[in-house]
Amino acid sequence: MTPSAPSPPGARLAAFMRELRERAGLSLTRLAAATTYSRSSWERYLNGKSLPPRSAVKELCHLAGEPADHALALLDIARTQRTDGSTPTEEASSGDASAPTPAGAAEASRTPARTGTVGILRRADVVTALASTCAVVIGALVLINLPPLHRRAAPPSSPPATATGALCSRATCHDKDPLTTRCGADPLTLAEHETATGAWIQIRYSRPCGTSWARMWGAAVGDRVEITTAGSHRSRHSARVTTARQADTYVHTLMSPISSGTTVRACFSAAAGDGKECVTARYAD
């Protein structure tokens, strides 16, 4: 690997960040204008030439309406592997017997004091190497247990509502799509649930729009999510995975306006099976 080539976790982080930028609909110039980092810095981060700071990752995830935990985990693993890139054993061997030594030094190396020092150094190298190996193993385990990219990937969305402004509010958002109305930028998650099949469902809420909807990911073709709201704006919406492409990303329902105290319920129905798995939330200001 050349010095400029990113590690595998670094390359995965860069690819994920490029995907987030595309979904946010931002050019490099607009991305720089919307964040505290320059265009040239973002070019390096997105191409994997250098690892971004945590604050840059958080800003990009915020713009894309994406939770930052997955990207930050990739960043931590990439930093760990970069730190462990050269092992202490290799550094110790680079100054070994290949260099000429004075006769006195050669004689001294046969003394008990010199032998003891070498033994201590070698034991320190072993301990350091074991610590580095443990760090890499822990990083690999975290990477293995991270959800696949498609479980954290969102469909293309607009920049946050705070920057662009939502296109509807409360009753005028009823039966409308949260993405096309810009209500889906930086929403709250009121509740979420992992189903027995490994799919996830969430109840989402937009403060600017005063609306709620459900979304699902990690699902299979034919799986369905349904959301019902109680109170003055009683309604029901559903969404179904109909293609393999939809199964690789989020699907979401249309919106319903809700107010403080409204009970919202989202239910998952697997394509193969008659049962439902539900999660309930009660919104309060």
Side-chain angles (χ1 to χ4, degrees):
M1 181 184 298
T2 63
S4 60
S7 65
R12 189 179 180 191
L13 171 63
F16 187 50
M17 292 177 67
R18 289 196 298 271
E19 188 175 348
L20 292 179
R21 180 184 70 85
E22 292 171 1
R23 288 182 181 141
L26 297 173
S27 64
L28 284 176
T29 301
R30 289 183 61 196
L31 181 58
T35 64
T36 55
Y37 296 88
S38 66
R39 188 182 190 280
S40 59
S41 295
W42 280 115
E43 184 177 10
R44 292 196 304 274
Y45 302 154
L46 296 174
N47 289 335
K49 296 178 182 177
S50 62
L51 293 177
R54 293 177 68 86
S55 56
V57 173
K58 290 180 179 179
E59 288 187 33
L60 178 58
C61 289
H62 176 75
L63 288 171
E66 181 76 12
D69 52 353
H70 179 69
L72 290 175
L74 285 176
L75 174 61
D76 291 340
I77 294 171
R79 284 178 172 172
T80 299
Q81 292 206 357
R82 183 181 64 177
T83 303
D84 296 334
S86 58
T87 64
T89 303
E90 292 172 348
E91 293 173 357
S93 63
S94 63
D96 214 11
S98 58
T101 57
E107 183 66 28
S109 67
R110 289 191 288 272
T111 65
R114 177 63 176 175
T115 303
T117 302
V118 171
I120 292 172
L121 289 176
R122 287 178 178 173
R123 285 195 294 273
D125 288 345
V126 170
V127 172
T128 305
L130 288 174
S132 299
T133 302
C134 289
V136 173
V137 170
I138 292 172
L141 289 174
V142 172
L143 183 60
I144 291 171
N145 286 280
L146 284 173
L149 285 180
H150 72 269
R151 292 183 63 177
R152 290 295 183 187
S157 60
S158 302
T162 53
T164 61
L167 302 181
C168 64
S169 177
R170 298 194 177 277
T172 60
C173 294
H174 186 58
D175 291 340
K176 292 185 178 179
D177 187 283
L179 297 185
T180 58
T181 56
R182 300 175 185 167
C183 295
D186 201 22
L188 300 176
T189 298
L190 301 183
E192 67 179 14
H193 171 68
E194 183 179 13
T195 70
T197 65
W200 284 79
I201 57 174
Q202 285 182 330
I203 299 175
R204 306 284 270 176
Y205 174 75
S206 168
R207 288 187 185 276
C209 298
T211 55
S212 183
W213 65 96
R215 72 172 181 176
M216 171 176 63
W217 74 97
V221 174
D223 289 353
R224 181 171 174 266
V225 62
E226 178 183 83
I227 185 168
T228 57
T229 59
S232 57
H233 294 284
R234 185 181 299 271
S235 64
R236 175 179 296 177
H237 294 106
S238 64
R240 184 187 297 272
V241 178
T242 59
T243 65
R245 184 173 182 179
Q246 286 182 334
D248 287 335
T249 183
Y250 290 134
V251 295
H252 59 271
T253 67
L254 299 180
M255 298 184 293
S256 297
I258 64 173
S259 54
S260 182
T262 299
T263 299
V264 187
R265 187 169 187 249
C267 293
F268 168 83
S269 300
D274 300 327
K276 284 186 177 182
E277 296 182 50
C278 301
V279 62
T280 302
R282 186 179 178 86
Y283 173 69
D285 287 330

Coordinates of all heavy atoms in Angstrom, one line a residue, residues 11-104:
A11 N -11.0 3.7 3.3 CA -11.6 3.7 2.0 C -13.1 3.6 2.1 O -13.9 4.2 1.4 CB -11.1 2.6 1.1
R12 N -13.6 2.7 3.1 CA -15.0 2.5 3.3 C -15.6 3.8 3.8 O -16.7 4.2 3.4 CB -15.2 1.3 4.2 CG -16.7 0.9 4.3 CD -16.8 -0.2 5.3 NE -18.2 -0.6 5.4 CZ -18.7 -1.5 6.3 NH1 -17.8 -2.0 7.2 NH2 -19.9 -1.8 6.4
L13 N -14.9 4.5 4.7 CA -15.4 5.7 5.3 C -15.5 6.8 4.2 O -16.6 7.5 4.1 CB -14.5 6.2 6.4 CG -14.8 7.6 6.9 CD1 -16.1 7.7 7.5 CD2 -13.7 8.1 7.8
A14 N -14.5 6.9 3.3 CA -14.6 7.9 2.2 C -15.7 7.6 1.3 O -16.4 8.5 0.8 CB -13.2 7.9 1.5
A15 N -16.0 6.3 0.9 CA -17.1 6.0 0.1 C -18.4 6.3 0.7 O -19.3 6.8 0.0 CB -17.0 4.5 -0.3
F16 N -18.5 6.0 2.0 CA -19.8 6.3 2.7 C -20.0 7.9 2.7 O -21.1 8.3 2.6 CB -19.7 5.8 4.1 CG -21.0 5.9 4.9 CD1 -22.2 5.4 4.4 CD2 -21.0 6.4 6.2 CE1 -23.4 5.5 5.1 CE2 -22.2 6.5 6.9 CZ -23.4 6.1 6.3
M17 N -19.0 8.6 3.0 CA -19.1 10.1 3.0 C -19.5 10.6 1.6 O -20.2 11.6 1.5 CB -17.8 10.7 3.5 CG -17.5 10.4 5.0 SD -16.0 11.1 5.6 CE -16.3 12.9 5.5
R18 N -18.9 10.1 0.6 CA -19.3 10.5 -0.8 C -20.8 10.2 -1.1 O -21.5 11.0 -1.7 CB -18.4 9.8 -1.8 CG -17.0 10.2 -1.9 CD -16.3 9.8 -3.2 NE -16.2 8.4 -3.3 CZ -15.3 7.6 -2.8 NH1 -14.2 8.1 -2.1 NH2 -15.3 6.3 -3.0
E19 N -21.2 9.1 -0.6 CA -22.6 8.7 -0.7 C -23.5 9.7 0.0 O -24.6 10.2 -0.5 CB -22.9 7.3 -0.2 CG -24.2 6.8 -0.5 CD -24.4 5.3 0.0 OE1 -23.3 4.7 0.3 OE2 -25.5 4.8 0.0
L20 N -23.1 10.1 1.2 CA -23.9 11.1 2.0 C -23.9 12.5 1.3 O -24.9 13.1 1.2 CB -23.3 11.3 3.4 CG -23.4 10.1 4.3 CD1 -22.7 10.4 5.7 CD2 -24.8 9.7 4.5
R21 N -22.8 12.9 0.7 CA -22.7 14.2 0.0 C -23.7 14.2 -1.2 O -24.4 15.1 -1.4 CB -21.3 14.5 -0.5 CG -21.2 15.8 -1.2 CD -19.8 16.0 -1.7 NE -19.5 15.1 -2.8 CZ -19.8 15.4 -4.1 NH1 -20.4 16.5 -4.4 NH2 -19.4 14.5 -5.0
E22 N -23.7 13.1 -1.9 CA -24.6 13.0 -3.1 C -26.0 13.0 -2.7 O -26.9 13.6 -3.3 CB -24.3 11.7 -3.9 CG -22.9 11.7 -4.5 CD -22.6 10.3 -5.1 OE1 -23.4 9.4 -5.0 OE2 -21.5 10.1 -5.7
R23 N -26.4 12.3 -1.5 CA -27.7 12.3 -1.1 C -28.2 13.7 -0.6 O -29.3 14.1 -0.6 CB -27.9 11.3 0.0 CG -27.9 9.9 -0.6 CD -28.1 8.9 0.5 NE -28.0 7.6 -0.1 CZ -27.5 6.5 0.5 NH1 -26.9 6.7 1.6 NH2 -27.4 5.4 -0.1
A24 N -27.2 14.5 0.0 CA -27.5 15.8 0.4 C -27.7 16.8 -0.8 O -28.2 17.9 -0.6 CB -26.5 16.3 1.4
G25 N -27.3 16.3 -2.0 CA -27.4 17.2 -3.1 C -26.4 18.4 -3.1 O -26.8 19.4 -3.6
L26 N -25.2 18.2 -2.5 CA -24.3 19.3 -2.4 C -23.0 19.1 -3.2 O -22.4 18.1 -3.2 CB -23.9 19.5 -0.9 CG -25.0 19.8 0.1 CD1 -24.5 19.8 1.5 CD2 -25.6 21.2 -0.2
S27 N -22.7 20.1 -3.9 CA -21.4 20.1 -4.6 C -20.3 20.4 -3.6 O -20.6 20.8 -2.4 CB -21.3 21.2 -5.7 OG -21.4 22.5 -5.1
L28 N -19.0 20.2 -3.9 CA -18.0 20.5 -3.0 C -18.0 22.0 -2.5 O -17.7 22.3 -1.4 CB -16.6 20.2 -3.6 CG -16.2 18.7 -3.7 CD1 -14.9 18.5 -4.5 CD2 -16.1 18.1 -2.3
T29 N -18.3 22.9 -3.5 CA -18.4 24.3 -3.1 C -19.5 24.6 -2.1 O -19.3 25.3 -1.1 CB -18.6 25.1 -4.4 OG1 -17.5 24.9 -5.3 CG2 -18.6 26.6 -4.0
R30 N -20.7 24.0 -2.4 CA -21.8 24.2 -1.5 C -21.5 23.5 -0.1 O -22.0 24.0 0.9 CB -23.1 23.7 -2.1 CG -23.6 24.5 -3.2 CD -24.9 24.0 -3.7 NE -25.9 24.0 -2.7 CZ -27.1 23.3 -2.8 NH1 -27.3 22.5 -3.8 NH2 -27.9 23.3 -1.8
L31 N -20.9 22.3 -0.2 CA -20.5 21.6 1.1 C -19.6 22.5 1.9 O -19.8 22.6 3.2 CB -19.9 20.3 0.8 CG -19.5 19.4 1.9 CD1 -20.7 19.1 2.8 CD2 -18.9 18.1 1.4
A32 N -18.6 23.1 1.3 CA -17.7 24.0 2.1 C -18.4 25.2 2.6 O -18.2 25.6 3.8 CB -16.6 24.4 1.1
A33 N -19.4 25.7 1.9 CA -20.1 26.9 2.3 C -21.0 26.6 3.5 O -21.3 27.4 4.4 CB -20.9 27.5 1.2
A34 N -21.5 25.3 3.6 CA -22.4 24.9 4.6 C -21.8 24.4 5.8 O -22.4 24.1 6.8 CB -23.4 23.8 4.1
T35 N -20.4 24.2 5.8 CA -19.7 23.7 7.0 C -18.5 24.6 7.3 O -18.3 25.6 6.7 CB -19.2 22.2 6.6 OG1 -18.2 22.4 5.5 CG2 -20.3 21.3 6.2
T36 N -17.8 24.1 8.3 CA -16.6 24.9 8.8 C -15.3 24.4 8.1 O -14.2 24.9 8.5 CB -16.4 24.8 10.3 OG1 -16.4 23.4 10.6 CG2 -17.6 25.4 11.0
Y37 N -15.4 23.6 7.0 CA -14.2 23.1 6.4 C -14.2 23.6 4.9 O -15.2 23.7 4.3 CB -14.2 21.6 6.5 CG -14.0 21.1 7.9 CD1 -15.2 20.9 8.7 CD2 -12.8 20.9 8.5 CE1 -15.1 20.5 10.0 CE2 -12.7 20.5 9.8 CZ -13.8 20.3 10.6 OH -13.7 20.0 11.9
S38 N -13.0 23.7 4.4 CA -12.8 24.3 3.1 C -13.1 23.2 2.0 O -13.2 22.0 2.3 CB -11.4 24.8 2.9 OG -10.4 23.7 2.9
R39 N -13.2 23.7 0.7 CA -13.4 22.8 -0.4 C -12.3 21.8 -0.6 O -12.5 20.6 -0.8 CB -13.6 23.7 -1.7 CG -14.0 22.8 -2.9 CD -14.1 23.7 -4.1 NE -14.8 23.1 -5.2 CZ -14.2 22.2 -6.0 NH1 -12.9 21.9 -5.8 NH2 -14.8 21.6 -7.0
S40 N -11.0 22.3 -0.4 CA -9.9 21.4 -0.6 C -9.8 20.4 0.5 O -9.4 19.2 0.3 CB -8.6 22.2 -0.6 OG -8.4 23.0 0.6
S41 N -10.2 20.7 1.7 CA -10.3 19.8 2.8 C -11.3 18.7 2.5 O -11.0 17.5 2.7 CB -10.6 20.5 4.1 OG -9.6 21.4 4.5
W42 N -12.5 19.1 2.1 CA -13.5 18.1 1.8 C -13.0 17.2 0.6 O -13.4 16.0 0.6 CB -14.8 18.8 1.4 CG -15.6 19.2 2.6 CD1 -15.9 20.4 3.0 CD2 -16.1 18.3 3.6 NE1 -16.6 20.4 4.2 CE2 -16.8 19.1 4.6 CE3 -16.2 16.9 3.8 CZ2 -17.4 18.6 5.7 CZ3 -16.8 16.4 4.9 CH2 -17.4 17.3 5.8
E43 N -12.3 17.7 -0.3 CA -11.8 16.9 -1.5 C -10.9 15.8 -0.9 O -11.0 14.7 -1.4 CB -11.1 17.8 -2.5 CG -10.7 17.0 -3.7 CD -10.0 17.9 -4.8 OE1 -9.7 19.1 -4.4 OE2 -9.8 17.4 -5.9
R44 N -10.0 16.2 0.0 CA -9.1 15.2 0.6 C -9.9 14.1 1.4 O -9.6 12.9 1.3 CB -8.1 15.8 1.5 CG -7.1 16.7 0.8 CD -5.9 17.0 1.7 NE -6.3 17.6 2.9 CZ -6.5 18.9 3.1 NH1 -6.3 19.8 2.1 NH2 -6.9 19.4 4.3
Y45 N -10.9 14.6 2.2 CA -11.6 13.6 3.0 C -12.4 12.7 2.1 O -12.5 11.5 2.4 CB -12.6 14.4 3.9 CG -11.9 15.4 4.8 CD1 -12.6 16.5 5.3 CD2 -10.6 15.3 5.2 CE1 -12.1 17.4 6.2 CE2 -10.0 16.2 6.1 CZ -10.7 17.3 6.5 OH -10.2 18.2 7.4
L46 N -13.1 13.2 1.1 CA -14.0 12.4 0.3 C -13.2 11.4 -0.7 O -13.7 10.4 -1.1 CB -14.9 13.2 -0.5 CG -15.9 14.1 0.3 CD1 -16.7 15.0 -0.6 CD2 -16.8 13.2 1.1
N47 N -11.9 11.8 -1.0 CA -11.1 10.9 -1.8 C -10.3 9.9 -1.0 O -9.5 9.2 -1.6 CB -10.2 11.8 -2.7 CG -11.0 12.5 -3.8 OD1 -12.1 12.0 -4.2 ND2 -10.5 13.6 -4.3
G48 N -10.4 10.0 0.3 CA -9.6 9.1 1.1 C -8.1 9.5 1.3 O -7.3 8.7 1.8
K49 N -7.8 10.7 0.9 CA -6.4 11.1 1.0 C -5.9 11.4 2.4 O -4.8 11.3 2.7 CB -6.1 12.4 0.1 CG -6.3 12.1 -1.4 CD -6.1 13.4 -2.2 CE -6.4 13.2 -3.7 NZ -6.2 14.4 -4.5
S50 N -6.9 11.8 3.2 CA -6.6 12.0 4.6 C -7.9 11.8 5.4 O -9.0 11.9 4.9 CB -6.1 13.5 4.9 OG -7.1 14.4 4.5
L51 N -7.7 11.4 6.7 CA -8.9 11.1 7.5 C -9.5 12.4 8.0 O -8.8 13.3 8.5 CB -8.5 10.2 8.7 CG -8.1 8.8 8.4 CD1 -7.7 8.1 9.6 CD2 -9.2 8.0 7.7
P52 N -10.8 12.5 8.0 CA -11.4 13.8 8.5 C -11.5 13.8 10.0 O -11.5 12.8 10.7 CB -12.8 13.7 7.9 CG -13.1 12.2 7.9 CD -11.8 11.6 7.5
P53 N -11.6 15.0 10.6 CA -11.9 15.1 12.0 C -13.3 14.7 12.3 O -14.2 14.7 11.4 CB -11.6 16.6 12.3 CG -11.8 17.3 11.0 CD -11.4 16.3 9.9
R54 N -13.5 14.4 13.6 CA -14.9 13.9 13.9 C -15.9 15.0 13.7 O -17.1 14.6 13.3 CB -14.9 13.5 15.4 CG -14.0 12.3 15.7 CD -14.0 12.0 17.2 NE -15.3 11.5 17.7 CZ -15.7 10.3 17.7 NH1 -15.0 9.3 17.2 NH2 -16.9 10.0 18.2
S55 N -15.6 16.2 13.9 CA -16.6 17.3 13.7 C -17.0 17.4 12.2 O -18.1 17.7 11.9 CB -16.0 18.6 14.2 OG -14.8 18.9 13.5
A56 N -16.1 17.1 11.3 CA -16.4 17.2 9.9 C -17.4 16.0 9.5 O -18.3 16.2 8.8 CB -15.2 17.1 9.0
V57 N -17.1 14.9 10.1 CA -18.0 13.7 9.9 C -19.4 14.0 10.4 O -20.4 13.8 9.7 CB -17.5 12.5 10.5 CG1 -18.5 11.3 10.4 CG2 -16.2 12.0 9.9
K58 N -19.5 14.6 11.6 CA -20.8 15.0 12.2 C -21.5 16.0 11.3 O -22.7 15.9 11.2 CB -20.6 15.5 13.6 CG -20.1 14.4 14.6 CD -20.0 15.0 16.0 CE -19.5 14.0 17.0 NZ -19.3 14.6 18.3
E59 N -20.8 17.0 10.8 CA -21.5 18.0 10.0 C -22.0 17.4 8.7 O -23.2 17.8 8.3 CB -20.5 19.1 9.7 CG -20.1 20.0 10.9 CD -19.3 21.2 10.5 OE1 -19.4 21.7 9.4 OE2 -18.4 21.6 11.3
L60 N -21.3 16.6 8.1 CA -21.8 15.9 6.8 C -23.0 15.1 7.1 O -24.0 15.1 6.4 CB -20.7 15.1 6.2 CG -21.1 14.4 4.9 CD1 -21.6 15.4 3.8 CD2 -19.9 13.6 4.3
C61 N -22.9 14.3 8.2 CA -24.1 13.4 8.5 C -25.3 14.3 8.9 O -26.4 13.9 8.5 CB -23.7 12.5 9.7 SG -22.6 11.2 9.4
H62 N -25.1 15.4 9.5 CA -26.2 16.3 9.8 C -26.9 16.8 8.5 O -28.1 16.9 8.4 CB -25.7 17.5 10.7 CG -26.8 18.5 11.0 ND1 -27.8 18.3 11.9 CD2 -27.0 19.7 10.5 CE1 -28.6 19.3 12.0 NE2 -28.1 20.2 11.1
L63 N -26.0 17.2 7.6 CA -26.5 17.8 6.3 C -27.3 16.7 5.6 O -28.3 17.0 4.9 CB -25.4 18.3 5.5 CG -24.7 19.6 5.9 CD1 -23.5 19.9 5.1 CD2 -25.7 20.8 5.9
A64 N -26.9 15.5 5.7 CA -27.6 14.4 5.0 C -28.7 13.8 5.8 O -29.4 12.9 5.3 CB -26.6 13.3 4.6
G65 N -29.0 14.3 7.0 CA -30.0 13.7 7.8 C -29.7 12.3 8.2 O -30.6 11.4 8.3
E66 N -28.5 12.0 8.5 CA -28.0 10.6 8.7 C -27.4 10.5 10.1 O -26.6 11.4 10.5 CB -27.0 10.2 7.7 CG -26.4 8.8 7.9 CD -27.4 7.7 7.4 OE1 -28.4 8.1 6.7 OE2 -27.2 6.5 7.7
P67 N -27.8 9.5 10.9 CA -27.1 9.3 12.2 C -25.6 9.2 12.1 O -25.2 8.5 11.1 CB -27.7 8.0 12.8 CG -29.1 7.9 12.1 CD -28.8 8.5 10.7
A68 N -24.8 9.8 13.0 CA -23.4 9.8 12.8 C -22.7 8.6 13.4 O -21.5 8.5 13.1 CB -22.8 11.1 13.4
D69 N -23.4 7.7 14.1 CA -22.6 6.7 14.8 C -21.9 5.7 13.9 O -20.8 5.3 14.2 CB -23.6 5.9 15.7 CG -24.8 5.4 14.9 OD1 -25.0 5.7 13.8 OD2 -25.6 4.6 15.5
H70 N -22.5 5.4 12.7 CA -21.8 4.4 11.8 C -20.6 5.1 11.2 O -19.5 4.4 11.2 CB -22.8 4.1 10.7 CG -22.2 3.1 9.7 ND1 -21.9 1.8 10.0 CD2 -21.9 3.3 8.4 CE1 -21.4 1.2 8.9 NE2 -21.4 2.1 7.9
A71 N -20.6 6.3 10.7 CA -19.5 7.0 10.1 C -18.4 7.2 11.2 O -17.2 7.0 10.9 CB -19.9 8.3 9.5
L72 N -18.7 7.5 12.4 CA -17.7 7.8 13.4 C -17.1 6.5 13.8 O -15.9 6.5 14.1 CB -18.4 8.4 14.7 CG -18.9 9.9 14.5 CD1 -19.6 10.4 15.7 CD2 -17.7 10.8 14.1
A73 N -17.8 5.4 13.8 CA -17.2 4.1 14.1 C -16.1 3.7 13.0 O -15.0 3.2 13.3 CB -18.2 3.0 14.2
L74 N -16.5 3.9 11.8 CA -15.5 3.7 10.7 C -14.3 4.6 10.8 O -13.2 4.1 10.6 CB -16.2 4.0 9.3 CG -17.2 3.0 8.8 CD1 -17.8 3.4 7.5 CD2 -16.5 1.6 8.6
L75 N -14.5 5.8 11.3 CA -13.4 6.8 11.4 C -12.5 6.2 12.6 O -11.2 6.2 12.4 CB -13.9 8.2 11.8 CG -12.8 9.2 12.1 CD1 -11.9 9.4 11.0 CD2 -13.5 10.5 12.5
D76 N -13.0 5.8 13.7 CA -12.2 5.3 14.8 C -11.4 4.1 14.4 O -10.3 3.9 14.8 CB -13.1 4.9 16.0 CG -13.8 6.2 16.6 OD1 -13.2 7.3 16.4 OD2 -14.8 6.0 17.3
I77 N -12.0 3.2 13.6 CA -11.3 2.0 13.2 C -10.2 2.4 12.2 O -9.1 1.8 12.3 CB -12.3 1.0 12.5 CG1 -13.3 0.5 13.6 CG2 -11.5 -0.2 11.9 CD1 -14.4 -0.3 13.0
A78 N -10.5 3.3 11.3 CA -9.5 3.7 10.3 C -8.3 4.4 11.1 O -7.1 4.1 10.7 CB -10.1 4.7 9.3
R79 N -8.6 5.1 12.1 CA -7.5 5.8 12.9 C -6.6 4.7 13.6 O -5.4 4.8 13.7 CB -8.1 6.7 13.9 CG -8.5 8.1 13.2 CD -9.1 9.0 14.3 NE -9.4 10.3 13.7 CZ -10.0 11.3 14.3 NH1 -10.5 11.0 15.6 NH2 -10.2 12.4 13.8
T80 N -7.3 3.7 14.2 CA -6.6 2.6 14.9 C -5.7 1.9 13.9 O -4.5 1.6 14.3 CB -7.6 1.6 15.5 OG1 -8.4 2.3 16.4 CG2 -6.9 0.5 16.2
Q81 N -6.1 1.5 12.7 CA -5.3 0.8 11.8 C -4.2 1.7 11.3 O -3.1 1.2 11.0 CB -6.1 0.2 10.7 CG -7.1 -0.8 11.1 CD -7.4 -1.8 10.0 OE1 -7.0 -1.6 8.9 NE2 -8.2 -2.8 10.4
R82 N -4.4 3.0 11.1 CA -3.3 3.8 10.7 C -2.2 3.9 11.7 O -1.1 3.9 11.4 CB -3.9 5.2 10.4 CG -2.8 6.2 9.8 CD -3.4 7.6 9.5 NE -3.8 8.2 10.8 CZ -4.3 9.4 10.8 NH1 -4.4 10.1 9.7 NH2 -4.7 10.0 12.0
T83 N -2.7 4.0 13.0 CA -1.7 4.1 14.1 C -0.9 2.8 14.2 O 0.3 2.8 14.5 CB -2.4 4.3 15.4 OG1 -3.2 5.5 15.3 CG2 -1.4 4.4 16.6
D84 N -1.5 1.6 13.9 CA -0.8 0.4 14.0 C -0.2 -0.1 12.7 O 0.2 -1.2 12.6 CB -1.8 -0.7 14.5 CG -2.3 -0.4 15.9 OD1 -1.6 0.3 16.6 OD2 -3.5 -0.9 16.2
G85 N 0.0 0.8 11.8 CA 0.5 0.4 10.4 C 1.8 -0.1 10.5 O 2.2 -1.0 9.7
S86 N 2.8 0.3 11.3 CA 4.1 -0.2 11.4 C 4.3 -0.8 12.8 O 4.1 -0.2 13.8 CB 5.2 0.9 11.2 OG 5.0 1.9 12.1
T87 N 4.7 -2.1 12.8 CA 4.8 -2.8 14.1 C 6.1 -2.5 14.8 O 7.1 -2.3 14.1 CB 4.6 -4.3 13.9 OG1 5.7 -4.8 13.1 CG2 3.3 -4.6 13.2
P88 N 6.2 -2.5 16.1 CA 7.4 -2.3 16.8 C 8.5 -3.3 16.4 O 9.7 -3.0 16.4 CB 7.1 -2.5 18.3 CG 5.6 -2.2 18.4 CD 5.1 -2.7 17.0
T89 N 8.1 -4.5 16.0 CA 9.1 -5.6 15.6 C 9.8 -5.1 14.4 O 11.0 -5.2 14.3 CB 8.4 -6.9 15.3 OG1 7.6 -7.3 16.5 CG2 9.4 -8.0 15.0
E90 N 9.1 -4.5 13.4 CA 9.8 -4.1 12.2 C 10.8 -2.9 12.5 O 11.9 -2.8 12.0 CB 8.8 -3.6 11.2 CG 7.9 -4.8 10.6 CD 6.8 -4.3 9.8 OE1 6.5 -3.0 9.9 OE2 6.2 -5.1 9.1
E91 N 10.4 -2.0 13.4 CA 11.2 -0.9 13.8 C 12.5 -1.4 14.5 O 13.6 -0.9 14.3 CB 10.4 0.1 14.6 CG 9.3 0.8 13.9 CD 8.4 1.6 14.8 OE1 8.7 1.6 16.0 OE2 7.5 2.2 14.3
A92 N 12.3 -2.4 15.3 CA 13.5 -2.9 16.1 C 14.5 -3.6 15.1 O 15.7 -3.4 15.3 CB 13.1 -3.8 17.2
S93 N 14.0 -4.3 14.1 CA 14.8 -5.0 13.3 C 15.6 -4.1 12.3 O 16.6 -4.5 11.7 CB 14.0 -6.1 12.5 OG 13.1 -5.4 11.6
S94 N 15.1 -2.9 12.1 CA 15.7 -2.0 11.1 C 17.1 -1.6 11.5 O 17.9 -1.2 10.8 CB 14.8 -0.8 10.8 OG 14.7 0.0 12.0
G95 N 17.4 -1.6 12.8 CA 18.7 -1.2 13.3 C 19.5 -2.4 13.9 O 20.2 -2.3 14.8
D96 N 19.3 -3.5 13.2 CA 19.9 -4.8 13.7 C 21.3 -4.9 13.3 O 22.0 -4.0 13.0 CB 19.0 -6.0 13.2 CG 19.0 -7.1 14.3 OD1 19.4 -6.9 15.4 OD2 18.5 -8.2 13.9
A97 N 21.8 -6.2 13.2 CA 23.2 -6.5 13.0 C 23.7 -6.1 11.6 O 24.9 -6.3 11.4 CB 23.5 -8.0 13.2
S98 N 22.9 -5.5 10.7 CA 23.4 -5.2 9.4 C 24.3 -4.0 9.5 O 25.1 -3.8 8.6 CB 22.2 -4.8 8.5 OG 21.4 -3.8 9.1
A99 N 24.3 -3.2 10.5 CA 25.2 -2.0 10.7 C 26.4 -2.4 11.4 O 26.3 -3.2 12.4 CB 24.5 -0.9 11.5
P100 N 27.6 -2.0 11.0 CA 28.9 -2.3 11.7 C 28.9 -1.8 13.1 O 28.4 -0.7 13.3 CB 30.0 -1.7 10.8 CG 29.3 -0.6 10.0 CD 27.9 -1.1 9.8
T101 N 29.5 -2.5 14.0 CA 29.6 -2.1 15.4 C 31.0 -2.1 15.8 O 31.8 -3.0 15.4 CB 28.7 -3.0 16.3 OG1 29.2 -4.3 16.2 CG2 27.3 -2.9 16.0
P102 N 31.4 -1.2 16.7 CA 32.8 -1.2 17.2 C 33.1 -2.5 17.9 O 32.2 -3.1 18.5 CB 32.9 0.0 18.1 CG 31.7 0.9 17.7 CD 30.7 -0.1 17.2
A103 N 34.4 -2.8 18.0 CA 34.7 -4.1 18.7 C 34.3 -4.0 20.1 O 33.9 -5.0 20.7 CB 36.3 -4.3 18.5
G104 N 34.5 -2.9 20.7 CA 34.2 -2.8 22.2 C 32.7 -3.0 22.4 O 32.3 -3.7 23.4

